[in-house]
Amino acid sequence: MSTVDAPRSPYARTQRSGTNWEKWGWMYMRASGVVLVVLIFGHLFVNMVSGEGVRAIDFAFVAGKWASPFWQVWDLLMLWLALIHGANGMRTIINDYSSSPVLGKVLRGAVFASAAVLIILGTLVIFTFDPCPSVSPDQLGMLPSFCPPQ
Ligand code: HEM
C-alpha cells in the first residue's frame, strides 16, 4: 500500500530530462481558467443580458454573430480552451481515481476521443455555418435581415 510522504520529506524528482508535461498541464489549467472567465462571462453578458436579453436568441441572432470574425474567433477560443481544459481536468481525475492501469488508459482514450470529435465538429460549425440557408416561405422570418430575398 502506498502512503503519502511526510510534509518535510525531500522532493524526489521523478523525471530528470525532457519536457515536464505535467507542469505545463498545471500551468495551462490556470492560464486557460483566467482567459475562460473573460470569454464565458462576456459570452453570457452579450447573449443574455445586453440588448433584448435572452429573448433575442434565435437562428438570426446566432447567424448575425457569426457573420463577424470577432465572434467567430471568440467562440472558437471558448470551444478550444474549454474542451482542452475540461479534458485535461478529466485526465487528472482519472489518474487520481482509476483503480487499474488498463481502465485508466481506456477512460483517458475516451476523454481524448470525445474532446477531439467535439473540437473538430465545433470548429467546422463555426467556419462552415450558412447564415442564409434556403427555407420554406413560412420560415423566412427566422433568417437574418442581411439575407437576400429568396
Ligand atoms: C470559468 C472559467 C474556469 C476557471 C477559472 C477554471 C479553473 C480551473 C482550475 C484552476 C483548475 C485546476 C484545479 C486543480 O488543479 O486543483 C480546474 C480544474 C478543472 N476544470 Fe476548470 N475552470 C473553468 C472552466 C471550466 C470548464 C468550462 C470546464 C469544463 C469544460 C472545466 C472543467 C474542469 C475540470 C474537469 C477540472 C479538474 C478538476 C479536478 O482536478 O478536480 N473548467 N479549473
Side-chain angles (χ1 to χ4, degrees):
M1 196 179 91
S2 64
T3 52
V4 176
D5 289 340
R8 296 199 183 279
S9 57
Y11 172 55
R13 197 176 271 283
T14 50
Q15 182 185 354
R16 299 226 167 263
S17 61
T19 309
N20 186 346
W21 290 107
E22 281 305 327
K23 179 186 83 176
W24 287 109
W26 189 95
M27 306 251 270
Y28 175 81
M29 293 307 272
R30 271 95 197 140
S32 60
V34 172
V35 181
L36 279 169
V37 169
V38 177
L39 292 175
I40 293 172
F41 283 100
H43 169 84
L44 290 176
F45 180 80
V46 168
N47 282 15
M48 306 206 173
V49 182
S50 68
E52 283 174 57
V54 71
R55 278 178 300 278
I57 297 183
D58 56 9
F59 183 87
F61 179 86
V62 178
K65 266 184 100 183
W66 279 347
S68 146
F70 177 84
W71 289 115
Q72 281 185 323
V73 171
W74 186 290
D75 287 355
L76 187 76
L77 276 176
M78 210 160 50
L79 175 81
W80 280 67
L81 290 179
L83 274 167
I84 295 171
H85 177 106
N88 192 43
M90 289 304 295
R91 185 189 65 87
T92 309
I93 295 172
I94 293 166
N95 287 346
D96 285 348
Y97 290 101
S98 73
S99 47
S100 86
V102 176
L103 180 66
K105 254 196 184 137
V106 170
L107 292 175
R108 280 191 300 272
V111 167
F112 177 84
S114 48
V117 167
L118 290 173
I119 286 176
I120 292 168
L121 286 183
T123 305
L124 282 174
V125 167
I126 292 174
F127 290 110
T128 62
F129 182 77
D130 179 4
C132 305
S134 42
V135 291
S136 60
D138 59 314
Q139 290 178 308
L140 278 179
M142 68 178 235
L143 293 183
S145 54
F146 56 73
C147 290
Q150 298 199 356

